[in-house]
């Protein structure tokens, strides 16, 4: 036998939350650190690793931007910073003044682990009574879909999300 073809995986549309579902999800998170992290994932459309690696100098409140360093593909990019997110980050900073990472783990010199964030997201979804399969990446999909529904063009969305290929962004046309 020269070659055995592999079966194709079915392409499923990503789960997406509406604004009310995101609010319900965030309301169920009691810890200010975890709630602010989830709001950051949603309001900036960040990947899990990008959000957990944020530092204080990455926040540019004068330009209303978040600097993302070493994102997927080892690329840097800037994303818009909403006034609501900036206010939440300032409130959070008043309570937790970490010297390095914005969202530290058990000790201030290490970032919050991906597993902790995933568990926290799943627990919040259960408490909110959401039946969808929700992960931190669901918040990124919800951000992109919200932009699309608001009339933002696909090229702009692709740039904001740091997509290398336009076909990656096309997945949001569901």
């Amino acid at each position: 036998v020269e070659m055995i073809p592999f079966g194709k995986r079915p392409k499923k549309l990503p789960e997406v939350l509406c604004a009310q579902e995101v609010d319900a999800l965030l309301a169920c998170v009691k810890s200010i650190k975890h709630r602010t992290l989830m709001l950051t994932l949603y309001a900036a459309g960040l990947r899990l690793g990008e959000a957990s690696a944020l530092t204080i100098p990455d926040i540019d409140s004068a330009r209303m931007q978040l600097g993302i360093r070493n994102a997927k593909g080892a690329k840097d990019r800037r994303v818009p910073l909403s006034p609501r997110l900036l206010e939440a980050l300032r409130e959070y900073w008043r309570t937790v003044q970490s010297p390095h990472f914005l969202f530290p783990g058990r000790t201030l010199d290490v970032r919050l682990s991906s597993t902790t964030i995933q568990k926290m997201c799943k627990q919040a979804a259960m408490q909110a009574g959401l039946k969808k399969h929700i992960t931190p990446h669901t918040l990124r999909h919800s951000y992109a879909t919200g932009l699309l529904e608001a009339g933002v063009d696909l090229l702009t969305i692709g740039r904001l999300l740091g997509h290398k290929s336009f076909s990656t962004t096309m997945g949001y046309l569901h």
Side-chain angles (χ1 to χ4, degrees):
V1 176
E2 205 170 286
M3 185 186 100
I4 299 174
F6 290 101
K8 290 188 176 183
R9 284 188 185 162
K11 290 204 178 224
K12 296 180 182 176
L13 290 175
E15 292 282 354
V16 177
L17 303 175
C18 67
Q20 293 82 8
E21 290 172 321
V22 172
D23 286 340
L25 185 71
L26 294 174
C28 290
V29 181
K30 301 300 178 222
S31 163
I32 188 169
K33 175 169 64 172
H34 294 163
R35 186 173 51 253
T36 307
L37 173 67
M38 287 184 61
L39 179 62
T40 304
L41 286 167
Y42 174 70
L46 300 183
R47 293 178 181 96
L48 178 62
E50 295 169 349
S52 65
L54 284 174
T55 60
I56 298 303
D58 294 333
I59 302 169
D60 186 350
S61 58
R63 289 191 173 102
M64 294 301 286
Q65 293 180 336
L66 273 178
I68 311 301
R69 290 178 283 115
N70 291 324
K72 190 173 180 179
K75 293 190 177 184
D76 295 349
R77 72 177 199 276
R78 296 201 154 280
V79 296
L81 177 63
S82 71
R84 178 182 173 191
L85 178 57
L86 179 60
E87 185 55 39
L89 289 170
R90 284 181 173 160
E91 181 184 331
Y92 165 70
W93 177 247
R94 287 185 205 106
T95 61
V96 182
Q97 294 188 2
S98 171
H100 188 62
F101 291 107
L102 183 59
F103 302 107
R106 287 203 183 268
T107 60
L108 296 178
D109 59 332
V110 297
R111 66 188 194 177
L112 195 60
S113 76
S114 298
T115 306
T116 301
I117 299 166
Q118 290 166 339
K119 286 179 182 177
M120 175 249 323
C121 190
K122 184 174 286 236
Q123 184 179 22
M126 283 178 27
Q127 288 177 352
L130 300 174
K131 302 293 182 210
K132 298 176 180 178
H133 176 72
I134 297 171
T135 66
H137 207 75
T138 305
L139 297 171
R140 178 176 163 86
H141 288 299
S142 301
Y143 166 78
T145 303
L147 289 177
L148 188 62
E149 290 170 351
V152 178
D153 65 285
L154 281 174
L155 287 175
T156 303
I157 294 172
R159 262 187 262 120
L160 288 173
L161 294 175
H163 288 165
K164 192 177 185 180
S165 168
F166 181 68
S167 62
T168 306
T169 312
M170 290 290 290
Y172 293 105
L173 282 179
H174 59 277

